[in-house]
Amino acid sequence: MSTPTSALATSRTDLLLRIAESISGEVGVSFLKALVAALQETMDVSLALITVGEGHPTNRARAIFALREGEEVEDISYDLAGTPCGVVYSGQRIVIPCDLAERFPREEGFSSYVGVPLFSEGETVGGHLAVFSVTPIEDPAFAESLVRIFGQRVEAERRQAAAAEMRERLIDDLRENSTRLRRRYQALRAANAFKTRLLGMIAHDLRNPLAAITSQAELIKTHLCGKEPNIERAVANAERVVASADRMSARIGSTLQEVRRETSSLAINPVSVDIGVLVSTAVEVNRPAADRKKISISTKDGACRLCSCDEDLLLDAVDNLVSNAIKYSHSGSGVEIEWGMAGERLCISVRDQGQGLTKEDLERAFQPFQPLSAKPTAGEASVGLGLSNVREIAEAHGGRVWAESEGKGRGATFHLEIPL
């Protein structure tokens, strides 16, 4: 006795409600078991699987979940050519109620098939849901509807998982950048403290010989400008001036030696560094100073992404170059940072539209405490150690640094190059 049409429709409505309840959890083997149970009424499922595509373009399918005769199986991977799954990966839903092996000889042993594509973001097919049976399908339309409903649930779950993964990656990136910025801020504070101590030490140690030079010079003037010039005493005072000047020179020399020791004994701890992230960190550290002067900062990403280097030291070098570019540029101008391959080396270039450099500037730009013709445009402090530190860091990596400029008022470009 056949089931009345209305009764059959009611039972299938009830089945769809049960399906909605049964697939509310995560996608997995239990999900496939719910699908198989739902399909029992219309087909005998021999194999059910959820796959992802592999290759560019997609030419293989790999099952992430699979059931064969009701038991979980693993390591199912196959070429799509000559299979109904290949048709599904083109974006079509397909139902073959019988004679599957006649249409697709590779599927020998199976009689029927239902497959629906699983779309990723951008409406590209990223996988598929398929069921195979050794017996024909009694109600192809209903079987296709069931598989499609389950497929939509898989799509939703996959997209939710992808969004969660993207969110976690963004959180990790933000956390990493926050750590780097905090570490960089601490390093900048330490560097500023060192410069302050250094300037205080120089001011203290040079005060006495400078005072002696001044007083001896006044005595020389007195001895030579009186009614009866006393050459002998003036010469003695002049000798004291020379001695005091020698003391100042020696103190400056010892201070420079101390600075060189601070920068030349760099311990390099190389790690694999994403140059794009490093440059972005340097830019963000200097963004407030650029915003105050209405200076735009742009970046141009080259082919190079990863480099083996000391991350903190290279960040310090790039930060110095960006900071200098902002410091010596006029309000409303721009700074451009570019990086890429130069043979087997990484080259980072910082270009400004500032005051430019003379030939003499270019020759002494990377020496410590060397005054250049360009001056900070907003009264910023300048000790004269930044570019020297960049040179020391580059050389510690086996690299080099140099500057280019077409002259005064025509901007400058600073290049930092180290082995990959």
Side-chain angles (χ1 to χ4, degrees):
M1 181 174 177
S2 60
T3 304
T5 302
S6 59
L8 181 61
T10 301
S11 67
R12 288 185 172 173
T13 300
D14 292 340
L15 176 60
L16 291 176
L17 290 174
R18 292 200 304 273
I19 290 171
E21 295 175 356
S22 68
I23 63 175
S24 61
E26 294 184 359
V27 171
V29 173
S30 59
F31 175 89
L32 284 180
K33 287 181 177 179
L35 170 61
V36 171
L39 287 169
Q40 290 292 349
E41 181 178 319
T42 187
M43 66 184 293
D44 183 15
V45 178
S46 304
L47 174 66
L49 44 82
I50 300 171
T51 73
V52 293
E54 296 181 332
H56 300 282
T58 303
N59 55 18
R60 286 183 63 80
R62 176 176 57 83
I64 52 177
F65 302 108
L67 287 178
R68 190 189 298 274
E69 304 298 343
E71 298 295 328
E72 181 179 359
V73 292
E74 298 179 353
D75 300 327
I76 295 180
S77 181
Y78 55 95
D79 292 329
L80 291 170
T83 69
C85 302
V87 178
V88 177
Y89 265 89
S90 71
Q92 303 179 46
R93 292 199 302 269
I94 182 173
V95 179
I96 302 175
C98 59
D99 302 327
L100 175 63
E102 292 182 13
R103 292 182 56 181
F104 297 94
R106 280 187 53 182
E107 309 301 344
E108 184 178 359
F110 292 114
S111 176
S112 56
Y113 173 89
V114 181
V116 296
L118 302 176
F119 291 95
S120 304
E121 294 294 335
E123 297 305 313
T124 59
V125 178
H128 87 317
L129 170 62
V131 293
F132 295 78
S133 176
V134 296
T135 61
I137 301 175
E138 294 181 5
D139 188 340
F142 185 66
E144 188 271 339
S145 296
L146 283 175
V147 175
R148 177 165 48 84
I149 291 171
F150 274 78
Q152 290 171 345
R153 177 67 183 86
V154 175
E155 277 187 8
E157 184 65 29
R158 280 164 52 89
R159 291 185 177 183
Q160 182 177 348
E165 183 180 353
M166 176 64 74
R167 184 169 60 251
E168 288 301 316
R169 279 205 305 269
L170 289 174
I171 291 172
D172 288 342
D173 288 345
L174 287 172
R175 186 180 295 114
E176 183 177 353
N177 281 333
S178 176
T179 299
R180 285 176 172 167
L181 286 171
R182 184 169 58 253
R183 186 172 58 197
R184 184 67 199 129
Y185 174 70
Q186 292 169 347
L188 287 173
R189 288 189 63 184
N192 286 333
F194 169 72
K195 293 174 184 178
T196 301
R197 289 197 306 273
L198 180 64
L199 290 175
M201 180 177 61
I202 292 173
H204 178 271
D205 290 349
L206 297 186
R207 184 182 294 114
N208 288 341
L210 183 60
I213 289 174
T214 301
S215 62
Q216 295 299 325
E218 290 174 349
L219 288 174
I220 291 172
K221 182 179 179 180
T222 300
H223 294 319
L224 294 179
C225 296
K227 292 182 179 180
E228 297 181 3
N230 190 331
I231 303 299
E232 182 178 350
R233 297 191 66 178
V235 169
N237 292 135
E239 289 174 348
R240 294 189 183 96
V241 168
V242 172
S244 294
D246 287 342
R247 284 175 55 200
M248 290 182 66
S249 178
R251 188 66 193 99
I252 291 173
S254 64
T255 301
L256 291 178
Q257 284 291 95
E258 181 177 343
V259 172
R260 289 192 185 98
R261 283 195 299 272
E262 289 283 337
T263 55
S264 63
S265 59
L266 298 176
I268 301 299
N269 298 305
V271 295
S272 182
V273 175
D274 186 316
I275 300 304
V277 173
L278 184 142
V279 170
S280 296
T281 302
V283 168
E284 291 310 311
V285 167
N286 288 281
R287 182 78 67 185
D291 290 344
R292 283 194 295 271
K293 298 177 73 173
K294 295 181 172 57
I295 293 174
S296 64
I297 305 178
S298 62
T299 58
K300 187 176 181 181
D301 188 349
C304 176
R305 295 299 301 176
L306 297 178
C307 176
S308 179
C309 62
D310 188 300
E311 184 175 16
D312 288 335
L313 290 179
L314 187 61
L315 177 58
D316 186 58
V318 176
D319 167 61
N320 268 302
L321 293 180
V322 176
S323 174
N324 266 15
I326 295 169
K327 187 181 298 182
Y328 292 94
S329 292
H330 295 290
S331 177
S333 61
V335 172
E336 181 181 299
I337 308 154
E338 182 177 0
W339 67 96
M341 297 281 292
E344 296 298 319
R345 301 165 80 83
L346 163 70
C347 185
I348 301 174
S349 300
V350 179
R351 184 178 297 105
D352 64 53
Q353 302 168 352
Q355 302 166 63
L357 300 172
T358 65
K359 181 179 179 181
E360 292 74 19
D361 289 334
L362 293 173
E363 291 175 352
R364 62 174 185 263
F366 298 97
Q367 299 301 317
F369 303 115
Q370 290 295 315
L372 303 181
S373 61
K375 304 300 179 186
T377 57
E380 299 98 329
S382 177
V383 179
L385 286 174
L387 293 179
S388 174
N389 287 345
V390 174
R391 177 178 62 82
E392 296 288 353
I393 291 169
E395 292 177 352
H397 282 85
R400 64 190 182 114
V401 65
W402 72 99
E404 295 176 341
S405 177
E406 295 182 2
K408 296 296 292 179
R410 306 187 69 176
T413 302
F414 290 83
H415 304 281
L416 169 64
E417 189 179 88
I418 63 172
L420 288 173

